[in-house]
Amino acid sequence: MTSLLGPDNSTLEQTLQDYQLPDAYLDGSEATSPWIPYGGPNMYTRYLSFDPRLGQAHTLLRSSVPASIGKHKHRSPITGYTLSGSWGYREYDWVATAGDLVQESPGTIHTLYTDDPQGFSAYFVINGCIEFFDDDENVVDIHDVFWFIDHYLRHCKENGLPVNKDLFRS
């Protein structure tokens, strides 16, 4: 099999190693990435990575009691994977439980909630922005990767925590 050559006659594999982002590793400790209040009472997020080039954030979202995040719309696809407990959207007739995968299309409007007495934990890949609405359907806030980065940095500064540069992918 003929190997493709990079710009300096190296193999394609060597060219990729020379220029691509390095593989990422984030240990599971909360010291590496703390839980931060997000979206409503008793809801918390934990950032796993930020990629401004792709407009993407990887997060964990959890609550240990019944809770809700306001009505919102995603401008890009979202993928979620339920780790424990159960959650859903008030506008839909399904409830995600441990092991369930959720893929959300751009433009859908919904209100995340958990009625589970133990709450839930889920992993989300957030692309693009999330628009939050008030009761009159007015956009009142917009969260994107830059908002998430600011949210994380403010939390670290206000709580005397070190910034984990390994969370940033560009």
Side-chain angles (χ1 to χ4, degrees):
M1 174 177 197
T2 305
S3 178
L4 297 174
L5 299 179
D8 61 353
N9 290 329
S10 62
T11 65
L12 178 59
E13 292 81 14
Q14 183 61 50
T15 300
L16 289 174
Q17 288 176 10
D18 291 344
Y19 295 107
Q20 71 185 3
L21 287 174
D23 291 347
Y25 168 80
L26 179 68
D27 71 59
S29 75
E30 291 180 23
T32 301
S33 174
W35 288 101
I36 303 171
Y38 178 75
N42 301 311
M43 285 286 203
Y44 298 88
T45 191
R46 185 169 168 230
Y47 297 112
L48 303 177
S49 74
F50 306 110
D51 191 338
R53 295 171 309 107
L54 297 177
Q56 190 175 78
H58 294 239
T59 70
L60 295 173
L61 185 66
R62 79 169 186 199
S63 179
S64 59
V65 297
S68 174
I69 289 181
K71 183 184 281 189
H72 60 278
K73 173 171 56 176
H74 300 281
R75 290 289 184 170
S76 296
I78 303 293
T79 301
Y81 182 79
T82 308
L83 301 168
S84 66
S86 63
W87 65 278
Y89 291 119
R90 296 207 185 278
E91 296 78 8
Y92 301 160
D93 62 358
W94 54 262
V95 173
T97 59
D100 290 351
L101 178 72
V102 176
Q103 293 183 308
E104 303 175 27
S105 297
T108 57
I109 298 175
H110 43 238
T111 310
L112 188 147
Y113 77 99
T114 180
D115 285 339
D116 191 315
Q118 303 300 311
F120 78 105
S121 178
Y123 166 72
F124 287 96
V125 179
I126 301 170
N127 296 288
C129 69
I130 304 170
E131 297 176 338
F132 285 88
F133 299 93
D134 65 14
D135 292 338
D136 296 321
E137 304 297 322
N138 298 305
V139 174
V140 293
D141 207 357
I142 298 174
H143 298 182
D144 62 10
V145 69
F146 301 105
W147 187 96
F148 295 129
I149 289 169
D150 183 64
H151 185 233
Y152 169 72
L153 295 175
R154 277 186 290 115
H155 179 81
C156 289
K157 183 177 181 180
E158 291 168 2
N159 292 279
L161 300 172
V163 170
N164 182 350
K165 293 182 181 178
D166 290 337
L167 299 180
F168 298 84
R169 292 292 299 155
S170 65

